[in-house]
Structure formats: C-alpha cells, structure tokens
Amino acid sequence: MDKCSVAYTLSILVGKWKPLIILALSQEEILRYGQLKREIDGITHKMLSSQLKELEQAGIIHREEYPQIPPKVEYSLTEKGVAFLDVFNAMKIWGDRYASP
C-alpha cells in the first residue's frame, strides 16, 4: 500500500469540519456560505472560512464569487470532490460492518 496516497487522502479528511462540509455539498449542487454555515451545526465563521480555503486549495470544492452588492459566493464540489465521495462510501461500508450495534 502506498503510504503517500493514504497520507494525502487523510489530509483531506483531517479535522472535524472538512468531512461535514463535503457531505453538505454532496446533498446540494450549490450552496452559499450562509447555507453551509446553517447546515453545519456549531462551526464558527473563522473555522468555516479556513476549511473552505483548504478544500478549495486541494481542488475538492469550487468557489464562485459574483461581483455584486451584497457579495454573492457559491460553493460546489469539483469533479475531484465528487470522486472523493467514494472514500465516504467505503468508510460507511466499513463502519456498517464493524461498528458495535
């Protein structure tokens, strides 16, 4: 097994919020910042902003900013982000098999 590939995948999953952001975006094609914040109970503005930036830098999400007043920003999963959902499916299968009832 390639340790570098596993480490890279884990870097996307690291943290409490990144998986929740990805899952929220998997439920809707496009979400605005405020919608994401409401979807993820307990996340702070600072944490959501930083996690979104990290996911954007990793190529998992796309950020579309519209030049208008008030500012409008939309987030969506990239093709790479949609492919990442396979990781969650594998985790679900493993969890279903081994989690205590």
Side-chain angles (χ1 to χ4, degrees):
M1 185 177 297
D2 184 4
K3 289 181 186 178
C4 291
S5 297
V6 173
Y8 173 71
T9 304
L10 286 174
S11 75
I12 304 299
L13 282 174
V14 166
K16 175 181 178 180
W17 305 110
K18 285 181 186 175
L20 296 177
I21 292 168
I22 294 168
L23 288 172
L25 287 169
S26 74
Q27 302 299 311
E28 298 288 332
E29 192 172 322
I30 295 172
L31 286 174
R32 294 182 64 184
Y33 183 89
Q35 292 171 304
L36 268 170
K37 186 143 178 13
R38 284 189 296 276
E39 287 287 321
I40 304 169
D41 191 40
I43 193 166
T44 64
H45 167 72
K46 182 178 178 180
M47 185 57 68
L48 180 56
S49 292
S50 70
Q51 298 290 274
L52 286 169
K53 285 177 186 166
E54 288 179 25
L55 289 169
E56 183 181 12
Q57 289 170 347
I60 301 297
I61 64 170
H62 172 73
R63 180 183 189 270
E64 186 70 37
E65 186 173 348
Y66 298 92
Q68 64 184 49
I69 304 291
K72 178 180 176 182
V73 180
E74 295 178 337
Y75 295 92
S76 59
L77 290 177
T78 61
E79 185 178 325
K80 184 177 176 182
V82 171
F84 196 79
L85 296 175
D86 291 340
V87 174
F88 288 121
N89 289 333
M91 291 170 65
K92 182 188 179 319
I93 290 167
W94 188 89
D96 289 345
R97 183 178 298 158
Y98 295 108
S100 299

